Amino acid sequence: MRPDTPADHITEAERLLRTAAQYPEDHEPLFLQAAAHLELAGDRARATGLYDQLLSAPPTDTANPYLVKALKAANLWEYGHEAEARAIIDGIRVAGPLQAAPWQIVAGTLEAHDELEAAHDVLQTALTLLLAPGEEVPYATQSLLTGRHRVRRLMGHDHDAWDELADALSTANVSLDELHDPKRLWSLGSSDPGELKAEITRLRAELGTYRAALSRPFPVAVLHWPEAELAELLDAYPSLADEEYTTHTEHLARLEAALRDLHAGGTPNLGIVAGTVPSYEAFAASEAASPADPNLLPQYATTLAARGRAIPWPPARSAACWCGSGRAYRECHGVA
Ligand SMILES: [Zn+2]
Ligand SMILES: [Zn+2]
């Protein structure tokens, strides 16, 4: 189910908070996702309350304190607490975290409030920290390069080496230069204000998608059953066997294909969660449902992802494949 109305978002937030009570060790990703739903429902004050709860825990208990701070700042700025938001953002910039996500949220927040110069500075600082010359650019860092490319186009800067890198890494079917062309936004010659407005809306939506996706870690995760678990699952619940759940080899191939389809369709933040029969049975029991019901599988995957159990996909080409074969992704399921 994809929540759409404010009431749906509140219901989903409540469900995630109940899951957090059930799995306290996974409360951080569940809180972040619940807060995102509260923001979407317009209950920004309650979302701030969740961020504060995470930030008041001992530092060792919070896995991503800078991400939580960045999300809190983005949320505060949206409901009239600009000064507080700016103070948090300044703190993050000074601290210089080595993860891409907090920088992405900070830059996106500044850009959303038309502070292009500051957004550019933030992306510059982040990439200086995170880009290692000559090494493969991780997927999360790539979105910082893309954001910087967009901001620089809006500011009218010429391309530099990082812009060229952004262009080279882009796999979208429209080139970044076309997508980020400020003339599409501000073309003085355009006599059609409606057209101009549509472009602005489109670019805003692009930015909105990034922020929404990042504030909800791994919203789309596919379910991977390791070989022994798949055998045990189909043995215990033969009704689950279908074209996707047949042989283990076929199961793995279909997962990779499904992820590539989602990726090509522009779905950001993809991940893989690994299922085990005991945890699946426990989940079924908590939902008062039968494990033999195939409709339960996507809910199980969503819940594992919300608990922060997803590993991001795609892996780096040279990193170990997600399937656990021990081979590099490019020589295993990442083979072109
Ligand atoms: Zn370009
Ligand atoms: Zn593999």
Side-chain angles (χ1 to χ4, degrees):
M1 175 207 66
R2 232 192 152 69
D4 280 320
T5 69
D8 289 343
H9 284 296
I10 298 281
T11 306
E12 185 60 9
E14 304 285 4
R15 193 185 68 80
L16 291 160
L17 292 173
R18 278 198 304 277
T19 310
Q22 207 179 342
Y23 302 100
E25 71 279 17
D26 297 329
H27 79 289
E28 183 172 329
L30 289 160
F31 270 37
L32 289 185
Q33 209 163 338
H37 283 291
L38 292 172
E39 288 187 32
L40 289 165
D43 196 347
R44 295 192 172 275
R46 199 169 158 212
T48 299
L50 290 182
Y51 296 132
D52 283 339
Q53 249 179 282
L54 287 172
L55 292 170
S56 66
T60 46
D61 283 6
T62 309
N64 299 290
Y66 293 108
L67 175 61
V68 179
K69 285 180 190 181
L71 291 168
K72 180 184 168 184
N75 181 46
L76 282 171
W77 202 327
E78 293 300 325
Y79 73 114
H81 299 276
E82 180 183 331
E84 200 182 336
R86 284 183 185 280
I88 295 171
I89 286 174
D90 290 345
I92 295 170
R93 293 174 72 171
V94 170
L98 295 175
Q99 306 86 37
W103 294 107
Q104 181 83 48
I105 301 285
V106 166
T109 302
L110 292 164
E111 188 182 344
H113 294 279
D114 296 321
E115 305 221 355
L116 296 181
E117 195 84 45
H120 184 264
D121 274 3
V122 160
L123 292 164
Q124 192 75 18
T125 308
L127 286 164
T128 306
L129 284 170
L130 297 174
L131 267 187
E135 272 178 35
E136 186 178 335
V137 181
Y139 194 60
T141 309
Q142 193 186 325
S143 61
L144 296 175
L145 275 173
T146 307
R148 183 176 173 277
H149 183 284
R150 180 180 55 244
V151 168
R152 289 170 62 84
R153 295 297 287 160
L154 292 172
M155 294 170 80
H157 288 338
D158 287 336
H159 269 55
D160 64 5
W162 280 353
D163 287 324
E164 277 156 29
L165 182 57
D167 285 330
L169 291 171
S170 170
T171 52
N173 37 20
V174 184
S175 82
L176 279 191
D177 289 323
E178 195 186 325
L179 192 66
H180 298 161
D181 186 352
K183 282 205 263 357
R184 293 177 67 162
L185 271 175
W186 295 329
S187 148
L188 294 171
S190 171
S191 52
D192 184 352
E195 204 171 272
L196 217 58
K197 220 171 172 177
E199 276 304 306
I200 292 172
T201 309
R202 203 187 47 71
L203 269 189
R204 281 258 150 88
E206 188 201 26
L207 182 61
T209 313
Y210 271 118
R211 298 185 62 208
L214 279 161
S215 61
R216 265 168 280 162
F218 314 120
V220 179
V222 299
L223 184 56
H224 163 218
W225 294 92
E227 190 162 12
E229 298 289 342
L230 183 67
E232 192 184 331
L233 182 78
L234 295 181
D235 206 33
Y237 309 106
S239 62
L240 295 179
D242 64 2
E243 62 279 5
E244 188 185 333
Y245 284 21
T246 51
T247 65
H248 191 245
T249 310
E250 182 66 16
H251 171 58
L252 296 181
R254 279 177 183 267
L255 285 187
E256 177 73 21
L259 286 161
R260 288 189 192 192
D261 277 354
L262 289 164
H263 186 62
T267 308
N269 254 355
L270 293 166
I272 299 176
V273 288
T276 69
V277 175
S279 104
Y280 176 59
E281 288 172 338
F283 174 75
S286 74
E287 297 288 309
S290 161
D293 178 0
N295 295 321
L296 205 57
L297 292 164
Q299 291 175 43
Y300 174 55
T302 306
T303 302
L304 285 176
R307 289 172 58 196
R309 297 307 173 91
I311 54 159
W313 182 96
R317 314 258 331 136
S318 54
C321 188
W322 55 265
C323 74
S325 66
R327 279 177 294 162
Y329 177 58
R330 67 163 181 275
E331 290 159 358
C332 192
H333 285 92
V335 86

